[in-house]
Amino acid sequence: MVHDVSERVASESKFRLLFEESSDARFLLDDQGIFDCNQAAVRMLRVPGKESLIGLHPGNSFSPAIQPSGRTSAELMPEYTARLDSEECVRFDWLHLRADGSHLPVEVSLSRVHVNGRSFRISIWHDLTDRNLASDQVRSSLVEKEVLLREIHHRVKNNLQVICSLLSMQSQTITHPGTLEVPRESQDRVQSMAMIHELLYDSASLSDIDFADYAGLLASELSSSHGLNRSHVRLALQVQPIRFCLDQAVPCGLILNELVSNAFKHAYPGQAAGEIRIGLHRDDSSQVHLSVSDDGIGLPAGFDWAQSRSLGLRIVSILARQLGGTMNVLSEQGSAFEVVFPST
């Protein structure tokens, strides 16, 4: 019996030491309110001493009427207390009022203890001010970085548009039809990259774009670029909504630009009508298939794209390898070019 009493006294002494020395505010609660508290609670609530707190109820005396969740303190506190009937410990974030009227965000841990043979609820408050301040600083930093990243995309787009304008001005000084194609092709390539940065600037993500949207915009732009005399050539898109990061979007945009431009230039000589089809899908093995096909005159007999002197096809081949993929070429009814590469 003496041994049991000694153990209980030692246990209660240890509890008292932990209770008083904790840097977190600790309250012993009974049905009347605060039965006892430590000095950390006095400092945290900025009251003169313990006597200012004894008998008060924390949920009513130190809480604003409305919590950040939008619910009232009077509604929430009975719910948390009732949960102690089925849970050993109840934790929740709470907003308290200090004696000076300032707000104190805390994490509350509520559980039951037995002291001197009596049952109490013990409420432990951990000050979240520093954590919330750090979180606010992180959020502010992320907002700053997002603004900066948007500005970078905007400036890159503007600089590329300046290059497009310079190429357009240069083309106006060229009279030879064959030479005129060179700045116009370069203008289309630069424009295809500028459109990606414009979409990224307008995107909520800033890190990737829906390539299906981009393909539609680029196809329309290329149709206009190749002149009204190509209005008899229809563009058909069968594209899945696949998102590409910048490292994939730029080479894919350039590939699409080259293949569609080649179809406009070579598939329909004269005023022949036809359809250029753009395809994009991801297969079951997560390989992305980007294709451009037409129902035009097809490729010349014995054509070997790997040996072709065409700058456009060389660009496509280089970009396909950059994507870790391969390029396939078919010529049956018209021509079809497909680049297959792994999805990131």
Side-chain angles (χ1 to χ4, degrees), residues 24-25 27 44-45 58 62 96 106-108 123-127:
D24 291 331
F27 302 88
M44 199 174 285
L45 288 172
F62 311 117
H96 285 277
V106 295
E107 180 187 54
V108 177
S123 181
I124 301 174
W125 297 3
H126 179 68
D127 191 345

Side-chain angles (χ1 to χ4, degrees), residues 29-284:
L29 308 172
D30 59 17
D31 293 337
Q32 279 69 49
I34 298 174
F35 178 82
D36 195 5
C37 63
N38 62 0
Q39 288 300 317
V42 172
R43 292 191 299 270
M44 199 174 285
L45 288 172
R46 298 176 181 173
V47 295
K50 288 185 179 184
E51 64 280 357
S52 302
L53 301 175
I54 303 303
L56 299 178
H57 194 288
N60 299 330
S61 304
F62 311 117
S63 301
I66 304 298
Q67 288 293 316
S69 64
R71 299 182 64 189
T72 67
S73 302
E75 290 175 333
L76 289 171
M77 187 53 69
E79 289 184 16
Y80 293 133
T81 303
R83 283 169 53 185
L84 281 178
D85 294 335
S86 57
E87 301 176 35
E88 290 186 2
C89 182
V90 179
R91 288 187 174 86
F92 52 92
D93 287 355
W94 196 262
L95 192 63
H96 285 277
L97 287 175
R98 296 186 177 96
D100 59 7
S102 61
H103 286 94
L104 170 69
V106 295
E107 180 187 54
V108 177
S109 174
L110 191 62
S111 57
R112 294 190 184 278
V113 294
H114 289 83
V115 181
N116 295 330
R118 289 186 58 185
S119 178
F120 293 93
R121 297 188 305 278
I122 182 169
S123 181
I124 301 174
W125 297 3
H126 179 68
D127 191 345
L128 297 180
T129 303
D130 290 342
R131 188 197 73 176
N132 290 353
L133 179 61
S135 180
D136 290 342
Q137 290 173 340
V138 169
R139 280 195 293 268
S140 176
S141 177
L142 288 175
V143 169
E144 290 176 2
K145 287 179 172 61
E146 181 178 323
V147 171
L148 178 60
L149 190 54
R150 287 190 186 279
E151 180 64 20
I152 289 172
H153 284 308
H154 186 61
R155 292 193 180 193
V156 170
K157 186 264 295 184
N158 285 348
N159 289 338
L160 291 173
Q161 292 287 12
V162 169
I163 296 173
C164 284
S165 298
L166 292 174
L167 290 170
S168 177
M169 293 173 61
Q170 184 181 28
S171 67
Q172 293 172 12
T173 66
I174 299 173
T175 56
H176 191 279
T179 308
L180 184 61
E181 286 297 314
V182 176
R184 284 183 178 174
E185 289 176 353
S186 297
Q187 186 177 351
D188 286 343
R189 290 169 186 140
V190 174
Q191 180 64 26
S192 72
M193 293 186 286
M195 288 174 61
I196 289 173
H197 287 280
E198 184 174 10
L199 286 175
L200 284 169
Y201 173 76
D202 293 331
S203 169
S205 154
L206 289 180
S207 61
D208 56 23
I209 63 170
D210 186 335
F211 200 76
D213 292 340
Y214 171 80
L217 292 172
L218 181 61
S220 177
E221 187 72 24
L222 289 173
S223 182
S224 300
S225 173
H226 284 271
L228 295 177
N229 62 324
R230 285 301 187 186
S231 61
H232 55 282
V233 178
R234 194 170 74 90
L235 281 168
L237 278 72
Q238 295 180 330
V239 292
Q240 291 181 354
I242 300 176
R243 302 196 71 84
F244 288 157
C245 65
L246 186 62
D247 288 342
Q248 283 192 320
V250 170
C252 283
L254 288 169
I255 288 171
L256 194 58
N257 173 79
E258 298 302 326
L259 294 179
V260 173
S261 296
N262 276 349
F264 268 122
K265 288 189 294 183
H266 304 301
Y268 306 101
Q271 295 296 315
E275 181 179 80
I276 298 173
R277 297 175 294 276
I278 298 173
L280 176 70
H281 73 275
R282 182 188 285 118
D283 64 25
D284 294 338

Side-chain angles (χ1 to χ4, degrees), residues 304-324:
D304 183 0
W305 70 267
Q307 303 299 321
S308 173
R309 295 174 59 85
S310 165
L311 175 60
L313 288 182
R314 293 208 304 271
I315 289 174
V316 172
S317 178
I318 291 170
L319 293 173
R321 290 197 300 270
Q322 179 180 322
L323 289 167

